[in-house]
Structures are given as structure tokens and as C-alpha cells.
Amino acid sequence: MRWSRHGVRGLAAAFIAAASAFLFAAPAAAAPLTPVQQLDVNRYVGLWYQLAANPAPFNIDCVRDTTAFYTLIDERNVRVENSCTTITGERRGIVGNARVNETASLHVSFPGVPFQDSLDGPSNYIVTYLADDYSWAFVGDPTRISGFVLSRSPVVSDEAWREIRGVVEASGYNSCLMLTSPTTEGKQDIRPLCTV
């Protein structure tokens, strides 16, 4: 995939518009984000593909193949390795730690990242939906500023996309403010989840 200057500017403009709309249109009285009742960490670890996410400054230059690879360290800690392909076609990544605060509610930290460099802290990674077969998950934070649709496969059916959209909306998120994340094998464009 090649990006022209106009394409990059359009992507940046879309990001700024979506981020601004999200910040000013977030539901004021949404119920607290609820974690799933059970999470088998041994089944959850491994490779996940990001299919959609709320725009954020830390992932603005990620244009495709965004992944998370989780490795169990011990009963309370999981190694987090996030990576993506950037606008320039290079792979970049960051390694951090996820500490379990309670079932399906974790504190993710990254060394050197402001406000996220402490191993302990309040939960900022809540698994709010998890398919029975662990094929996909929806993860958010208590403020609903971040939200991520993760899948074991980079490709899902149209029916699965409709289910994903329903779960995102049922979780109190605005699906029009969440953008799809292109994968080499799957969807190639970045667009609001509500249009999928």
C-alpha cells in the first residue's frame, strides 16, 4: 500500500476529527465498563490482530497490521508486545507489562510512556467482551477513551463485523468514532466502524 501526501493528510484530518468528536461526544452518563466474568489467561495469551480501535496519539502512524502479542510471565503479569506497520512501511513496536488487578481487568504499562510507566495502577485494560472460543475480544478502559477490537484472525466475515459493531455499541461506545484497522489479508481501508 502506498500513501500519497494527500492520503496521509486525509488520514490525519480524519483522525483529528474523530478524536475531537470522541472527546466532546462521549456519553456523560454511561454505565461503568463491565469486565467479562471469566478470563482464562492461558487461552488469552498469544497473537491478536487489531481490527478496529478508537484513534489515539500513540497509534496515529499505524496504518496496517497492528498486532498485540501477549506472553504469560507469572500469575499476575503478562508481557505485552504491540507492533504495527507505519505510514512509511516500517514495523514499529513497544513492549510493556499487563498486571492483573482482578479477573479481566488489568493495568497495562509501558516504560518511558508518560502516565503509563508504573507497573501498578488502576485498571486501564478491561476485557468487556470475549467470544466463547476466544476468537475475538473487545477491550476498553473505564473512561471509554480507548477501545480495541482484537481478533485471532486478520480476516472476519461480514456477519462477524455486524456482531462486532453490536458489541461495541452495547458496551457504550459510539461505533462511528471507532475506525477500522487495515490488515494485509483483511479490510484494506480505514473507515468508521458504523459503516462496516
Side-chain angles (χ1 to χ4, degrees), residues 32-43:
L33 197 60
T34 307
V36 295
Q37 292 184 358
Q38 287 191 332
L39 175 69
D40 181 343
V41 177
N42 289 309
R43 288 183 71 190

Side-chain angles (χ1 to χ4, degrees), residues 153-166:
S153 171
V155 181
V156 297
S157 67
D158 289 342
E159 181 181 338
W161 276 111
R162 286 189 291 275
E163 180 185 9
I164 287 167
R165 180 178 172 184

